Amino acid sequence: MTDRVFNFNAGPGTLPEVALAQAAKDIVNYQNKGLGIMEMSHRSKEFMAIADQTEALLRELMAIPDSYRVLFLQGGASSQFFMVPMNLLAGDAKATYLDTGTWSTKAIKEARQFGTIDVAYSGKAENYRRIPQPDAYQIDDDSSYLYLVSNNTIFGTQFAAFPNSSKMLIADMSSDILSRPIEVGSFGLIFAGAQKNLGPAGVTIVVIREDLLDRAPDSVPTMLRYKTHAEKGSMFNTPPCFAIYVVGEVLKWLKAQGGVPAMAERNEEKARLLYQLIDSSDYYRGHAEPDSRSRMNVAFNLPTADLESKFVAEATAQGMIGLKGHRSVGGCRASIYNAFPLDGVRRLVAFMEEFAGANPA
Ligand SMILES: *Cc1c(COP(=O)(O)O)cnc(C)c1O
């Protein structure tokens, strides 16, 4: 596959070629069964084995303790914005949210339908260029949980360390799951839509501490209760079989690369190359404060909007696509998820140097 471009899109993002090549075969004929992966019963021996293996790999790679359940759900990460408070905020309970960007703002809006939401910090006035230090906000004693977005895909900021709070942490890790080691045991619930760092759109991973399954009020519909899916091994209804299968192939690739610690090292190196260039240049300006920078999404500006358009167009012509920033930040954004190759980052850095030389401000 020599004709693939370097795909800097924020999501769906680039996937490992070996996983795609395997999927291409298995779509037509899975293990010589005479039918493809998308055509098999989700209750067949073959698919059950795929689902079990995918869960086992995720547990191994994330070191998920036995007291947590892993669920494969639908509805995208966005459905977790309401499922979390719907299941965990019984009665008129309170929860604390950190507003560090678009995805937390959306989660806050949904959560307000289910309880009292205290927004203990908001980065809105600074256009979300930083992650708050723990002394920048307070958490009320009667709050049920502290909700945060570990990596802000749009603004290119990321929690370098998680708050060391006595409150239960809930994290949206859609854009940095498996990109660095984390301690699952310090979270009550972690969720992630697959399409950034894990696989195709269509499946959302939820890792939930077992004791939380019983918190949901009776009024929660069956499909929207975590317990329903935990009790049925994510097969209460037809799960997103193909997406789960591809996540499994991506996890096999990830393990073969050396697992999460190896990924973290590689991600660190990729991000370092880009930030180093940004820091050494007057031409490019990073959006995030240096201590809040994301290793997954690097958001930056050029001297003018016209130069940014030209930059994106020329990069595209050279086989580097998806560099236009999100409309709410403008500028450019390079998303460099796990499967994005180091070579592609080197190519971009070289292009950025050339472009700055050839197009003075
Ligand atoms: C993309 C993204 C979402 C939304 O995911 P959907 O699966 O499209 O609902 C939520 N949170 C974060 C951090 C994201 O990057």
Side-chain angles (χ1 to χ4, degrees), residues 18-345:
V18 280
L20 296 174
Q22 187 62 47
K25 283 187 196 145
D26 292 345
I27 280 174
V28 180
N29 192 349
Y30 182 73
Q31 293 187 346
N32 285 322
K33 302 285 178 216
L35 81 173
I37 185 77
M38 290 189 275
E39 305 164 287
M40 290 172 356
S41 164
H42 55 295
R43 309 212 184 268
S44 64
K45 189 166 92 267
E46 289 80 14
F47 185 76
M48 298 284 262
I50 290 169
D52 287 349
Q53 191 191 21
T54 303
E55 175 174 341
L57 268 170
L58 189 73
R59 283 185 174 279
E60 179 188 338
L61 291 165
M62 288 181 73
I64 299 175
D66 289 344
S67 54
Y68 285 72
R69 304 296 291 269
V70 174
L71 312 177
F72 298 107
L73 305 184
Q74 301 189 60
S78 298
S79 291
Q80 296 309 308
F81 299 169
F82 64 82
M83 271 184 78
V84 165
M86 192 182 226
N87 278 268
L88 302 184
L89 274 189
D92 198 22
K94 184 194 270 189
T96 305
Y97 279 62
L98 302 180
D99 181 21
T100 54
T102 309
W103 298 117
S104 52
T105 308
K106 289 188 173 184
I108 289 163
K109 174 167 182 271
E110 297 305 308
R112 290 210 153 113
Q113 304 189 49
F114 300 97
T116 305
I117 302 305
D118 178 35
V119 179
Y121 167 87
S122 174
K124 187 167 190 224
E126 297 177 297
N127 204 15
Y128 299 115
R129 60 182 80 243
R130 86 172 76 238
I131 295 293
Q133 294 298 319
D135 58 8
Y137 54 89
Q138 288 203 324
I139 305 164
D140 295 347
D141 286 343
D142 58 347
S143 179
S144 304
Y145 59 79
L146 175 61
Y147 180 105
L148 57 85
V149 178
S150 62
N151 182 70
N152 297 278
T153 324
I154 292 175
F155 298 94
T157 63
Q158 185 176 29
F159 279 83
F162 293 108
N164 189 6
S165 164
S166 59
K167 289 294 168 199
M168 171 167 81
L169 291 178
I170 308 254
D172 174 358
M173 295 196 183
S174 294
S175 54
D176 69 351
I177 191 163
L178 288 165
S179 70
R180 55 176 171 173
I182 58 148
E183 181 79 43
V184 174
S186 46
F187 295 86
L189 185 151
I190 292 167
F191 68 87
Q195 70 272 20
K196 276 120 192 186
N197 224 5
L198 271 181
V203 64
T204 302
I205 309 281
V206 172
V207 179
I208 180 171
R209 215 175 62 206
E210 213 155 37
D211 62 285
L212 298 175
L213 296 172
D214 288 316
R215 277 223 201 162
D218 292 343
S219 57
V220 177
T222 309
M223 253 311 269
L224 300 182
R225 307 173 80 86
Y226 291 123
K227 192 169 186 173
T228 302
H229 301 284
E231 281 178 340
K232 300 287 184 189
S234 299
M235 299 219 189
F236 170 72
N237 70 326
T238 316
C241 304
F242 181 66
I244 293 170
Y245 156 84
V246 180
V247 168
E249 292 303 312
V250 171
L251 295 181
K252 284 183 202 167
W253 166 82
L254 208 157
K255 184 176 172 178
Q257 301 299 303
V260 176
M263 277 297 127
E265 237 173 77
R266 204 193 282 187
N267 289 331
E268 196 74 49
E269 171 69 0
K270 289 186 292 184
R272 194 182 60 77
L273 289 175
L274 278 167
Y275 288 122
Q276 206 169 43
L277 173 72
I278 288 170
D279 286 340
S280 66
S281 127
D282 295 329
Y283 195 81
Y284 298 102
R285 274 172 298 120
H287 178 75
E289 291 292 330
D291 68 351
S292 303
R293 284 170 166 173
S294 167
R295 287 154 189 83
M296 297 277 96
N297 312 95
V298 179
F300 58 94
N301 288 85
L302 277 70
T304 66
D306 282 348
L307 284 169
E308 285 163 349
S309 303
K310 190 175 182 210
F311 177 90
V312 170
E314 287 186 13
T316 304
Q318 294 191 25
M320 290 175 277
I321 69 150
L323 284 163
K324 190 169 163 29
H326 190 271
R327 57 194 177 278
S328 55
V329 195
C332 302
R333 173 177 49 170
S335 297
I336 46 175
Y337 299 121
N338 282 350
F340 191 94
L342 180 60
D343 270 358
V345 174

